[in-house]
Amino acid sequence: MALTTTDLVEVPPELDLQTALAVYGDGFTALMLEQLAPPMAGQDVLVTASAGGMGLLLIQLAHQAGAQVIAAARGDEKLELSRTQGADVLVDYSRPGWEKDVLEATGNRGAGIVFDGAGGELGAAAFRAAADGGWMSAHGAPSGGFAAIDPDEAVRRGITVKGIMDLRADSTTTTVTGADVIARAAAGDLKPVVDQVYDLEHVADAHRAQEGRTLRGKALIRVSR
């Protein structure tokens, strides 16, 4: 598909180009999820894969909205990074039965809103930790697949579940634009965390870091002129 001048977004002088590049893709999806989800003020919001590029942006948005943010990730380093971005409760999902910690943090109600960026069994556990009548986005699959959620159980519990195909369809009806992403970044609402900047000749190292889940936030590729 050819790009036209209408696809271009001006980066304001108060926002550096690296930040604009780092925030654009994940920021678009994060703002779409913010728009699709119920109001987050006063809610218990669970974010899995919380130290990834989009997970950190979702933490920021939920924190700004006045939610109690529960960050779930693997290991102290990722959880500490989640805390610095606004997480109130930290849950290490390398521990069996970690969803019980989410329930305990919510007074056994479960999380009213779940942003699942992990997928697989971790996503299924996040669904078990969701509140009846809640809302969940199962958009992540770094564990090898999207969360397998029984639609009958979701109906029985009154949980609205957005799968990745639902989000792709919703992207045609939501009002988020690229200009919105850049404006929110310039205002300080979206602050991408860039872990590493790789030269183009080291792009394989970037792939290995991503596959090994050692990245904290985003990796960028620098193309020399």
Side-chain angles (χ1 to χ4, degrees), residues 73-97:
R74 192 180 304 275
D76 291 342
E77 186 177 352
K78 291 183 178 181
L79 290 171
E80 176 59 21
L81 175 58
S82 301
R83 185 194 65 76
T84 66
Q85 301 305 303
D88 303 290
V89 179
L90 307 178
V91 176
D92 189 337
Y93 55 37
S94 64
R95 301 202 316 261

Side-chain angles (χ1 to χ4, degrees), residues 15-41:
L15 192 68
D16 65 90
L17 185 57
Q18 177 172 299
T19 300
L21 289 171
V23 78
Y24 194 81
D26 286 339
F28 193 97
T29 305
L31 290 186
M32 188 177 74
L33 288 171
E34 178 190 47
Q35 190 174 101
L36 293 169
M40 290 188 280

Side-chain angles (χ1 to χ4, degrees), residues 102-180:
V102 177
L103 293 173
E104 182 179 348
T106 62
N108 289 317
R109 296 182 302 273
I113 297 173
V114 178
F115 295 119
D116 174 43
E121 176 51 36
L122 292 171
F127 175 72
R128 295 193 293 270
D132 290 356
W135 185 95
M136 177 174 180
S137 169
H139 55 266
S143 58
F146 296 104
I149 296 171
D150 183 347
D152 292 334
E153 183 178 356
V155 170
R156 180 180 62 80
R157 296 178 57 195
I159 300 174
T160 299
V161 178
K162 294 283 188 179
I164 189 64
M165 296 309 296
D166 298 312
L167 294 179
R168 287 173 180 167
D170 287 331
S171 69
T172 65
T173 58
T174 52
T175 60
V176 177
T177 66
D180 293 331

